[in-house]
């Protein structure tokens, strides 16, 4: 893996040079052409498309997008390019299943087929939501006590006592280590000693991430997050996260928040970029699995019709054409104490599970 990653770093320094605004326009225009060329159409009354042609079209459009546009590196202003052979090799040779967690809490995260009978793995937690340190442990414990939860992806710490945590400051290191310390205490009290953890949610830069990349905080059966920036971009901060975790056995998990109404344009374009992000996660970051999280510019949550359609199409595209392991993000628009939040969770869970 290291030799391959050194090649990625080389391309980040020697690839085609371009201004960021020019890359954004190139990507946006290319997406517009691909949506038309592959005849990809979003229909609001068909949240789960039943025509496999749509899923396949989105997949091959994503391959075309990656081969023709590549991945932009903010620090160097250069493009990491990929051949179609490299892309197809990455998606076909990725492991179909991985082991996460330890002991009695071990789970097997599998590549699922459309309408497959294999039960999905369920992650619990606030998934990066910023909260004060005083609420971190009790909220984590409330999830860990639920038997249905297979793994934990909890909140980020935004404030400790009167100190507001600043990105890239020493306080980020403190908050990220405190996050793991409180999480371990909650895990012990819940008697889930081997549960799989996505850690470093409080780390907005490489500082916090590097501070927990040892067995006192993250174990080989755990994971840390690496972002794919909007849209189809990376930086040395996130490439550094890959290098920092190399040889430690910690799972790399990639996350993308492709924006409806941004450079990816409409739901059809966001579906294409989301598939491309899943591929980049494996191809560049050596990710064990990916978190797909489409975002609408004007509608909160992932439970709106456009985001539900994207999650379904992306899930089907990856299930039919790759071995990649991908998860859907249940991100509700309404909060605790509302009746509609249950309907949001149900809709998102149904769509992602059957797709």
């Amino acid at each position: 893996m290291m030799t391959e990653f050194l090649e990625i770093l080389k391309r980040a320094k020697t690839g085609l040079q371009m201004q960021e605004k020019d890359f954004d326009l190139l990507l946006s225009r290319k997406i517009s052409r691909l949506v038309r060329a592959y005849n990809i159409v979003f229909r609001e009354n068909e949240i789960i498309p039943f025509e496999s042609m749509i899923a396949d079209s989105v997949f091959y459009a994503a391959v075309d997008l990656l081969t023709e546009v590549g991945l932009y590196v903010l620090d160097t202003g250069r493009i990491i390019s990929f051949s179609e052979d490299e892309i197809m090799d990455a998606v076909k040779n990725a492991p179909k299943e991985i082991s996460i967690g330890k002991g009695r809490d071990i789970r097997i995260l599998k590549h699922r087929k459309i309408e497959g009978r294999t039960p999905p793995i369920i992650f619990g937690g606030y998934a990066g939501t910023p909260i004060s340190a005083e609420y971190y442990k009790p909220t984590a414990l409330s999830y860990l006590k639920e038997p249905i939860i297979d793994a934990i992806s909890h909140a980020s710490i935004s404030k400790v006592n009167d100190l507001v945590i600043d990105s890239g400051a020493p306080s980020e290191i403190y908050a990220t280590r405190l996050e793991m310390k409180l999480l371990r205490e909650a895990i012990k009290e819940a008697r889930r000693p081997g549960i799989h953890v996505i850690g470093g949610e409080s780390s907005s830069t490489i500082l916090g991430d590097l501070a927990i990349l040892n067995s006192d905080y993250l174990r080989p059966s755990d994971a840390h997050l690496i972002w794919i920036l909007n849209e189809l971009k990376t930086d040395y901060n996130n490439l550094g996260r890959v290098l920092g975790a190399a040889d430690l056995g910690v799972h790399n998990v990639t996350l993308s928040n492709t924006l409806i109404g941004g450079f990816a344009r409409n739901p059809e374009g966001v579906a294409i970029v989301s598939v491309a992000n899943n591929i980049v996660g494996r191809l560049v970051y050596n990710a064990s699995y990916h978190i797909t999280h489409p975002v609408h510019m004007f509608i909160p949550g992932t439970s709106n019709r456009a985001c539900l359609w994207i999650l379904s199409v992306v899930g089907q595209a990856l299930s039919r054409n790759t071995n990649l392991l991908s998860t859907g993000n249940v991100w509700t628009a309404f909060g605790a104490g509302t009746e509609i939040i249950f309907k949001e969770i149900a809709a998102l869970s149904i769509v992602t599970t059957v797709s």
Side-chain angles (χ1 to χ4, degrees):
M1 179 264 173
M2 191 53 60
T3 302
E4 295 172 2
F5 189 67
L6 290 178
E7 175 60 27
I8 294 294
L9 295 179
K10 178 182 176 182
R11 295 182 195 183
K13 290 182 64 177
T14 61
L16 177 66
Q17 195 160 26
M18 185 179 291
Q19 293 291 322
E20 184 181 3
K21 62 179 181 180
D22 294 330
F23 177 83
D24 292 333
L25 290 174
L26 172 68
L27 177 137
S28 191
R29 289 168 182 161
K30 180 63 180 175
I31 288 171
S32 179
R33 289 196 294 270
L34 287 169
V35 169
R36 292 196 303 271
Y38 282 92
N39 193 29
I40 302 166
V41 180
F42 161 59
R43 295 183 176 88
E44 284 195 357
N45 62 344
E46 193 180 56
I47 290 174
I48 302 177
F50 288 92
E51 296 178 6
S52 58
M53 180 181 67
I54 296 175
D56 292 345
S57 294
V58 168
F59 173 75
Y60 286 107
V63 174
D64 283 353
L65 181 66
L66 273 180
T67 55
E68 296 185 31
V69 175
L71 181 70
Y72 189 79
V73 185
L74 292 172
D75 299 89
T76 62
R78 294 184 182 272
I79 295 173
I80 301 174
S81 298
F82 314 102
S83 69
E84 185 174 338
D85 286 343
E86 287 177 313
I87 292 168
M88 298 308 293
D89 183 66
V91 301
K92 296 296 185 183
N93 292 323
K96 289 186 177 182
E97 61 179 55
I98 61 170
S99 171
I100 58 175
K102 294 176 67 176
R104 61 187 176 138
D105 293 306
I106 200 167
R107 299 290 185 273
I108 304 300
L109 189 59
K110 293 184 177 181
H111 176 82
R112 299 177 71 257
K113 295 299 182 183
I114 296 168
E115 294 187 310
R117 295 181 179 274
T118 305
I121 297 295
I122 300 175
F123 290 76
Y126 281 178
T129 301
I131 62 174
S132 297
E134 61 184 304
Y135 300 117
Y136 198 88
K137 181 179 173 181
T139 52
L141 192 57
S142 71
Y143 284 96
L144 289 160
K145 285 181 176 180
E146 297 295 336
I148 197 172
I149 298 301
D150 297 301
I152 188 82
S153 173
H154 200 47
S156 61
I157 294 177
S158 59
K159 187 177 180 182
V160 181
N161 298 328
D162 295 327
L163 176 66
V164 175
I165 306 304
D166 294 321
S167 175
S171 59
E172 180 187 325
I173 298 173
Y174 184 89
T176 311
R177 285 182 167 173
L178 179 62
E179 165 198 328
M180 295 306 302
K181 178 177 180 291
L182 294 173
L183 198 51
R184 290 293 175 215
E185 291 178 3
I187 286 170
K188 184 177 181 180
E189 288 186 27
R191 297 181 180 178
R192 300 290 304 274
I195 193 168
H196 176 70
V197 170
I198 299 180
E201 301 272 11
S202 308
S203 173
S204 57
T205 74
I206 197 171
L207 282 181
D209 198 67
L210 291 177
I212 60 166
L213 284 176
N214 65 72
S215 58
D216 289 338
Y217 300 102
L218 283 180
R219 303 159 304 186
S221 58
D222 292 328
H224 69 140
L225 282 172
I226 310 177
W227 282 268
I228 299 171
L229 306 175
N230 294 15
E231 304 291 348
L232 278 180
K233 295 174 186 173
T234 189
D235 58 10
Y236 278 172
N237 187 64
N238 283 292
L239 291 173
R241 293 175 193 262
V242 181
L243 198 59
D247 303 324
L248 297 180
V250 175
H251 292 286
N252 293 338
V253 178
T254 45
L255 170 68
S256 61
N257 304 94
T258 308
L259 182 65
I260 302 171
F263 289 111
R265 296 178 174 255
N266 46 27
E268 296 92 332
V270 171
I272 294 170
V273 175
S274 296
V275 170
N277 285 333
N278 274 266
I279 297 171
V280 165
R282 185 65 192 173
L283 189 60
V284 178
Y285 295 153
N286 193 36
S288 296
Y289 58 93
H290 182 85
I291 302 171
T292 300
H293 184 119
V295 180
H296 198 293
M297 186 176 283
F298 303 111
I299 307 173
T302 55
S303 59
N304 58 78
R305 286 178 175 267
C307 287
L308 287 170
W309 180 86
I310 292 164
L311 286 166
S312 178
V313 170
V314 171
Q316 291 186 53
L318 296 171
S319 180
R320 284 178 54 82
N321 297 282
T322 79
N323 288 336
L324 297 176
L325 304 175
S326 188
T327 67
N329 220 354
V330 177
W331 198 268
T332 59
F334 293 84
T338 60
E339 182 181 348
I340 196 171
I341 193 174
F342 295 107
K343 296 179 180 179
E344 289 187 89
I345 294 167
L348 283 156
S349 300
I350 291 167
V351 166
T352 51
T353 300
V354 301
S355 300

